[in-house]
Amino acid sequence: MVKAVFLDRDGVLTRERADYVKTPEELELLPDIADPLCALRYLGFVIVVVTNQSAVGRGLTTNKQMSLI
């Protein structure tokens, strides 16, 4: 059996922004997030990051650009 935890990216793993993340440079990981993620992996969890990126639908960035983030 695979154990998994699903985490939202924005506001959980990364700093929430007033606008949209459009480039890798704009993405800011929350401080001290690595230790809890490592603990989950140590406990045997697969970590799945889910995110709804409306910036693509709004034409502010592309799927290709977002895949780099």
Side-chain angles (χ1 to χ4, degrees), residues 4 25 40 57 66 69:
E25 295 77 24
L40 286 168
M66 292 306 292
I69 297 177

Side-chain angles (χ1 to χ4, degrees), residues 9 15 17 19-29 61 65-66 68-69:
R9 188 191 78 180
R15 189 163 313 281
R17 292 177 54 101
D19 61 350
Y20 301 98
V21 174
K22 300 170 291 306
T23 66
E25 295 77 24
E26 293 177 343
L27 188 71
E28 183 182 352
L29 290 176
T61 190
Q65 186 69 17
M66 292 306 292
L68 300 173
I69 297 177

Side-chain angles (χ1 to χ4, degrees), residues 2-8 12-13 36-37 39-41 44-50:
V2 176
K3 300 184 294 184
V5 60
F6 292 76
L7 301 172
D8 187 24
V12 176
L13 301 175
L37 295 177
L40 286 168
R41 291 290 296 142
F45 285 88
V46 172
I47 298 170
V48 180
V49 178
V50 294

